[in-house]
Amino acid sequence: MTSDSSAARDFGDRHIGPRGAQVQRMLAAIGYDDLGALIDTAVPAAIRSARPLALPAARTESEVLDDLRSIAGHNRVLTSMIGQGYYGTVTPAVIRRNVLESPAWYTSYTPYQAEISQGRLEAMLTFQQVVEDLTALPVAGASLLDEATAVAEAVALMWRAARAKAGVVVLDQDLFGQSIAVARGRAERIGLPVVVADLSAGLPDGEVVGVVVQQVGASGRIHDVAAVVEAARSRGALVTVAADLLALTLLAAPGDLGADVAVGSAQRFGVPLFGGGPHAAFLAVRSGLERQLPGRLVGVSVDADGAPAYRLALQTREQHIRREKATSNICTAQALLAIVAAMYAVYHGPDGLKGIAEQVHAKASALAAGLRAAGVEIEHDEFFDTIRAKVPGRAGAIVEAAAARGLNLWAPDENHVQASTDETTTTAHVAAVIEAFEAAVTDRNPATPQAGDARAGADHIPAASRRTSGYLAHPVFHEHRSETALMRYLRRLSDKDLALDRTMIPLGSCTMKLNSAIEMEPISWPGFADIHPYAPADQTMGYAKLVGDLATWLAEVTGYDEVSLQPNAGSQGEYAGLLAIGAYHRSRGDSHRDICLIPASAHGTNAASAALAGLRVVVVATADDGSIDVVDLMARLEEHGPQVAAIMLTYPSTHGVYEEQVTQVTELVHAAGGQVYIDGANLNALVGLARPGELGGDVSHLNLHKTFCIPHGGGGPGVGPVAVKAHLAPFLPGDPTPAHAGPGRQQAAPEWNGHAGDTPSVGTHRSTGGGVAPVAAARWGSAGILPISWAYVALMGPDGLRRATEHAVLAANYVAARLEGHFPVLYAGPGGLVAHECILDLRPLTKVSGVTAEDVAKRLADYGFHAPTLAFPVPGTLMVEPTESEDLAELDRFVDAMVAIRREIDEVAAGTWPLEDSPLRNAPHTAAAVTADEWTHPYSRRVAAFPVPGPAAAKYWPPVRRIDGAYGDRNLVCACPPVEAFTQAGR
């Protein structure tokens, strides 16, 4: 590929679907001759930025890959024995190729439309089964963001379960440092008293609500969980155990020890280190606490034929429904990584996992024996994978000696060094660690063998802590032993789903655009995948460059001054932005400002995040045209002005409209002394045209998994950077790296001396803050997937990014124009145009026919489409966002399907088909239903299965019929059903 400007433009042409004559046809349908004229009408002049994007010019794919190789090459990949919640692991190639790197898995959306998500739901249910079995607790969620936030969620869960009982939550001081930092920060903002104590010395005096203990502590010591549970029970407190899934194949399960909650990370189940993330965390609870769970929960229900079917259960706990009263602000978490971990357990089975754990423990035992033989004192005799050595004053020298041998060790202070073994640890690694100690210590202090068991094969797990219960007995963990069987199993699961590799996913507010293979490829490179988040700074220069570039580019795109990439989800970006606002007010003596104004149409996460940040929510009404009701806003400001901390806006609005009065709104709030938070969910309608920081915004979070091409992965991973004006910069999230990170580990990164484009040097925009608590476990959050967004910006360049925005607006208006006569578009902005999405109003049709928006959503599956966003932000509607990546043929296919469905609605309204026995109410139709011997419906089999002409070979067959959601909530089952359940149902 050449490197001239025309070649650089090629990627933009491949990312953007319509081109040439297609664009002209779309413009003609809307009534415009020129794309520029359409944009000038749709996007109010008052919000347009006066200057173009000052970003590096677009590069070719080969140039971008070369630049990323250079960046990855400046990350030094040493063998990591740091531990602290992050461990080396082997991702089986069959899982890497067929899940992590497969668009069938990484481009799928959160399974709100369960009938077309049965494959990913089954995989996520398998993850829950793994967690439930290994923790011996009956209910586990479908993943959380990371272990630190899982600990924080457990603290909040125990408080909810205690029903406002007085007292404190006690965190064991041997928890991972990042978990303590995140949990304390979260708890303090909502007034939950938390103390850190040495639980080996017993519980502190006073009332105790809950206790969090790390079963295998940060120091490596195996804690006596049973004793902690007994002490807590005697005080009426709940107990959360932070556990290691691999260790639980050998150690007693938290549920067997009487724990109420278990949390941890599934990272070492085949998920790379990724510089700190993304990694799937878990949270499991005893019976009675399931309705307190945060995040997603996959459950088993039945479809219209009585067959088992999977769905998201107990959704009334979630932020989209309960808003500020939700159990958590988590929207999506780490589904893709949870699926990798689940399939790792499927791949190895219970015996394989136990064998890996025994090998890990044997290596740690050999290391302890070798160090003792060399005269090194080992602090704990009982451990699983981590050895802590006492080395007074010599920690720095030992760490340096190990690094010279290609190993990273962990020094919590100058007097101790730790080494953690994992699946990748070899006998040579163990020998090298011993050599490093001998070189740095025993050459100055003659070795004196230390007391203790020096046998390499010694078992250092106490008998009382040994596991006695079974696990992973379900056939799924035994039937896929060969790679052929596992490959076919993964294919069968993915074939059940509709993802972006099959069809457009026209989800309003969720931006399911192309996730280019060229953007995805680098995340598997060792230079990005095999870096420990606590590796010394001189080993992470590449990540520093990548983060520095991306933060600088995002600041330029948004019009803000500083950017933190730590938040590992959009919800956490919201939370971080609101924390910054709160800290800013407190720094000025305005701690009384505790009200957050939120429009009625806002995302549910806005209200939930505000509550987590310690703010009270006051709702602002929506005007008839879908914009913020300015009169009502002024009334709320008059009523609450001195208490107003902020307003949270989404721009363009959640109704898919560019509101012309946005600057009036921001000026009113500023005049009242409040700050303006602009939700970046719809930033893809602004990039290159307008900047939220120029509209009066003080802070925004951005969804890199929407606007900047990180894929949704079936419900995560995501990245939600927070961008702020300079006055809020001191209050960006702090560094979660444990305070005593060892000699040399807090040093600044050396000056970048590589080349990856015409960008400012590292540090121009901060990637971590220091004024408030961290919001994620790792300094750079989900660093491992940042190369995706870096590549997207580099490939598109400033002109390509602007073109993407313009074509997103073009596509939405094309769909709206073609469907206007069939499904009225609820809201429109200047010139009768929409922004990047449109809301189709089905309520008038529902009144005359009884057909609901849900019926249309389910019927679209028979046409081979994922449904648009259902019932948000207006009940009884569908919100459509076609994105810039869909070409005209696909847009027309969707429009044609919707037009055909409108004809079906008319047939119901005319009485041709009774509503309850219409193709709409019976949708979706499975192959089994259509080929049944008996067919009694008033419409034909062809109408059911092939409603529009098309090749039969390309037909998508939904695997289940419509699912009974209420049944699933009344009869909650969140573990893998027995195989007999499917056999009896004829599936």
Side-chain angles (χ1 to χ4, degrees):
M1 180 181 291
T2 61
S3 60
D4 60 23
S5 59
S6 63
R9 286 196 300 270
D10 285 349
F11 177 81
D13 289 339
R14 286 190 292 277
H15 174 83
I16 296 171
R19 63 191 66 204
Q22 293 183 348
V23 173
Q24 294 307 311
R25 285 174 53 194
M26 294 169 68
L27 286 168
I30 305 168
Y32 284 82
D33 297 324
D34 178 76
L35 181 57
L38 172 69
I39 298 301
D40 287 343
T41 304
V43 186
I47 75 160
R48 297 287 292 270
S49 182
R51 61 184 180 85
L53 293 176
L55 296 173
R59 305 172 219 180
T60 66
E61 293 182 16
S62 59
E63 288 171 338
V64 165
L65 289 179
D66 285 345
D67 289 339
L68 282 170
R69 287 190 186 95
S70 175
I71 290 174
H74 283 77
N75 287 329
R76 293 176 54 212
V77 182
L78 274 65
T79 296
S80 176
M81 300 183 75
I82 294 173
Q84 300 302 299
Y86 304 93
Y87 305 91
T89 184
V90 176
T91 308
V94 63
I95 297 175
R96 186 185 69 246
R97 175 63 61 88
N98 294 290
V99 178
L100 188 62
E101 296 176 351
S102 169
W105 291 96
Y106 68 68
T107 69
S108 60
Y109 183 61
T110 305
Y112 290 124
Q113 293 294 324
E115 292 84 357
I116 57 174
S117 308
Q118 290 295 292
R120 78 199 76 145
L121 283 165
E122 180 174 334
M124 292 160 68
L125 189 72
T126 302
F127 174 79
Q128 292 179 183
Q129 185 74 67
V130 171
V131 174
E132 290 162 6
D133 279 6
L134 290 176
T135 63
L137 290 167
V139 183
S143 78
L144 290 175
L145 295 167
D146 59 34
E147 182 167 354
T149 51
V151 169
E153 293 286 359
V155 170
L157 185 153
M158 290 189 292
W159 271 101
R160 290 194 300 271
R163 302 184 185 277
K165 170 187 170 183
V168 302
V169 171
V170 181
L171 304 179
D172 183 20
Q173 69 179 22
D174 207 16
L175 281 170
F176 294 132
Q178 65 271 23
S179 295
I180 293 175
V182 173
R184 290 180 74 170
R186 288 273 292 269
E188 288 169 2
R189 285 311 316 133
I190 52 177
L192 303 184
V194 169
V195 298
V196 178
D198 181 2
L199 290 181
S200 65
L203 291 177
D205 294 335
E207 294 294 324
V208 178
V209 170
V211 177
V212 184
V213 60
Q214 190 107 29
Q215 186 175 31
V216 180
S219 68
R221 180 167 65 96
I222 295 176
H223 287 256
D224 187 350
V225 172
V228 173
V229 170
E230 183 180 359
R233 285 281 179 274
S234 69
R235 305 275 285 276
L238 300 178
V239 177
T240 293
V241 176
D244 182 308
L245 289 181
L246 188 64
L248 286 177
T249 64
L250 302 180
L251 298 181
D256 292 339
L257 296 172
D260 303 284
V261 184
V263 298
S265 171
Q267 179 267 317
R268 70 191 309 171
F269 272 30
V271 181
L273 290 166
F274 277 144
H279 299 144
F282 64 84
L283 192 155
V285 297
R286 62 165 169 79
S287 295
L289 294 178
E290 55 270 13
R291 292 185 182 273
Q292 303 295 336
L293 273 172
R296 300 281 177 260
L297 176 66
V298 178
V300 183
S301 186
V302 295
D303 74 356
D305 291 329
Y310 309 117
R311 60 182 285 273
L312 294 178
L314 303 183
Q315 293 184 62
T316 52
R317 302 167 296 113
E318 295 178 4
Q319 75 299 119
H320 289 306
I321 294 173
R322 299 200 71 209
R323 297 171 69 83
E324 70 270 21
K325 296 180 181 179
T327 56
S328 171
N329 73 331
I330 290 176
C331 182
T332 56
Q334 305 289 15
L336 182 66
L337 295 316
I339 290 167
V340 169
M343 294 307 131
Y344 180 90
V346 169
Y347 177 87
H348 287 290
D351 293 339
L353 293 177
K354 184 177 181 180
I356 293 171
E358 289 173 338
Q359 292 172 18
V360 168
H361 183 62
K363 293 293 193 304
S365 298
L367 177 57
L371 290 176
R372 281 192 170 114
V376 178
E377 183 179 356
I378 303 302
E379 187 166 287
H380 305 304
D381 286 330
E382 298 175 346
F383 52 80
F384 167 61
D385 62 355
T386 299
I387 308 303
R388 171 177 273 197
K390 293 182 178 180
V391 288
R394 302 299 298 159
I398 294 169
V399 168
E400 290 176 5
R405 290 161 172 79
L407 305 168
N408 277 333
L409 304 183
W410 180 248
D413 53 52
E414 188 59 40
N415 300 315
H416 296 86
V417 171
Q418 296 182 193
S420 295
T421 57
D422 56 47
E423 180 183 8
T424 69
T425 304
T426 66
T427 301
H429 294 147
V430 172
V433 173
I434 296 170
E435 287 178 6
F437 272 81
E438 291 175 337
V441 177
T442 59
D443 59 344
R444 293 174 176 82
N445 302 290
T448 301
Q450 299 298 305
D453 193 337
R455 291 175 297 128
D459 187 343
H460 292 271
I461 297 175
S465 297
R466 274 277 174 186
R467 184 170 193 129
T468 57
S469 60
Y471 50 87
L472 305 187
H474 192 278
V476 73
F477 303 109
H478 300 268
E479 293 178 343
H480 310 292
R481 293 276 63 83
S482 72
E483 181 168 328
T484 302
L486 182 57
M487 175 181 66
R488 290 172 180 163
Y489 176 59
L490 294 172
R491 175 61 184 266
R492 286 197 301 273
L493 291 181
S494 64
D495 279 349
K496 295 179 180 181
D497 288 3
L498 271 182
L500 205 63
D501 64 329
R502 287 181 188 260
T503 177
M504 71 180 291
I505 303 180
L507 282 156
S509 194
C510 290
T511 319
M512 295 295 295
K513 63 168 69 177
L514 171 70
N515 315 119
S516 163
I518 200 73
E519 297 159 0
M520 297 295 297
E521 180 181 340
I523 70 170
S524 298
W525 295 349
F528 291 127
D530 295 344
I531 300 295
H532 193 287
Y534 301 157
D538 62 356
Q539 295 176 22
T540 59
M541 288 174 57
Y543 265 130
K545 169 63 176 172
L546 184 85
V547 170
D549 281 351
L550 194 51
T552 297
W553 296 345
L554 294 177
E556 169 61 18
V557 165
T558 59
Y560 290 108
D561 300 305
E562 303 279 0
V563 173
S564 169
L565 288 161
Q566 187 183 117
N568 50 9
S571 59
Q572 304 311 293
E574 291 178 4
Y575 175 63
L578 292 169
L579 286 184
I581 288 173
Y584 168 75
H585 285 308
R586 290 191 297 276
S587 75
R588 293 161 54 87
D590 290 339
S591 57
H592 57 278
R593 291 191 175 273
D594 65 347
I595 286 178
C596 186
L597 302 174
I598 298 180
S601 63
H603 294 90
T605 53
N606 286 178
S609 295
L612 280 180
L615 299 172
R616 293 183 291 147
V617 173
V618 171
V619 176
V620 179
T622 300
D624 291 341
D625 64 357
S627 63
I628 291 176
D629 188 330
V630 176
V631 173
D632 188 64
L633 171 63
M634 290 190 289
R636 301 287 79 75
L637 289 172
E638 178 68 23
E639 180 182 2
H640 302 290
Q643 285 81 44
V644 171
I647 188 171
M648 293 188 81
L649 308 174
T650 299
Y651 199 84
S653 77
T654 310
H655 291 127
V657 175
Y658 292 104
E659 298 181 17
E660 297 187 76
Q661 75 274 33
V662 63
T663 53
Q664 178 188 6
V665 170
T666 62
E667 289 168 0
L668 286 169
V669 174
H670 282 149
Q675 296 284 285
V676 175
Y677 182 106
I678 298 182
D679 187 315
N682 294 337
L683 185 68
N684 56 307
L686 296 179
V687 177
L689 301 179
R691 293 174 169 88
E694 295 175 355
L695 301 179
D698 298 292
V699 56
S700 291
H701 89 273
L702 322 175
N703 290 325
L704 297 193
H705 49 290
K706 294 183 179 182
T707 302
F708 295 96
C709 290
I710 290 175
H712 282 245
V719 179
V722 58
V724 298
K725 289 293 183 68
H727 65 282
L728 294 180
F731 310 106
L732 287 171
D735 189 342
T737 308
H740 301 292
R745 295 192 182 277
Q746 296 298 313
Q747 68 196 54
E751 188 69 23
W752 169 256
N753 57 7
H755 172 73
D758 184 20
T759 58
S761 61
V762 175
T764 301
H765 292 277
R766 72 173 66 203
S767 55
T768 59
V772 297
V775 298
R779 179 187 180 197
W780 291 325
S782 290
I785 53 176
L786 295 181
I788 301 169
S789 296
W790 190 100
Y792 174 66
V793 176
L795 287 162
M796 295 293 282
D799 296 337
L801 292 173
R802 188 198 69 253
R803 288 176 57 219
T805 303
E806 293 171 345
H807 279 77
V809 175
L810 170 65
N813 280 284
Y814 175 74
V815 170
R818 283 208 56 199
L819 289 178
E820 179 66 38
H822 306 278
F823 301 94
V825 174
L826 186 56
Y827 298 116
L833 299 171
V834 298
H836 63 302
E837 59 193 5
C838 60
I839 297 176
L840 304 180
D841 192 357
L842 275 78
R843 293 173 298 179
L845 291 172
T846 301
K847 287 182 180 179
V848 299
S849 69
V851 174
T852 66
E854 182 180 11
D855 292 331
V856 175
K858 304 307 180 187
R859 181 59 169 153
L860 275 168
D862 291 327
Y863 287 78
F865 280 104
H866 194 294
T869 300
L870 176 65
F872 176 82
V874 181
T877 68
L878 294 171
M879 185 160 59
V880 180
E881 182 179 353
T883 85
E884 72 272 16
S885 295
E886 301 300 339
D887 61 24
L888 183 57
E890 186 71 355
L891 296 176
D892 282 341
R893 192 171 74 89
F894 173 74
V895 169
D896 291 345
M898 291 296 293
V899 171
I901 288 173
R902 171 56 199 268
R903 289 196 294 267
E904 294 177 352
I905 296 173
D906 291 341
E907 295 285 359
V908 172
T912 304
W913 299 323
L915 173 62
E916 295 303 322
D917 198 12
S918 68
L920 290 141
R921 187 56 56 87
N922 287 330
H925 296 81
T926 62
V930 173
T931 59
D933 292 338
E934 184 178 6
W935 183 264
T936 61
H937 304 296
Y939 54 93
S940 69
R941 299 174 194 261
R942 181 194 60 78
V943 168
F946 298 98
V948 293
K955 165 69 178 176
Y956 168 74
W957 289 100
V960 297
R961 295 188 63 202
R962 196 173 306 197
I963 297 172
D964 187 337
Y967 177 93
D969 284 351
R970 290 194 307 268
N971 305 277
L972 182 64
V973 175
C974 53
C976 296
V979 175
E980 294 77 21
F982 297 96
T983 304
Q984 294 166 1
R987 288 179 59 196

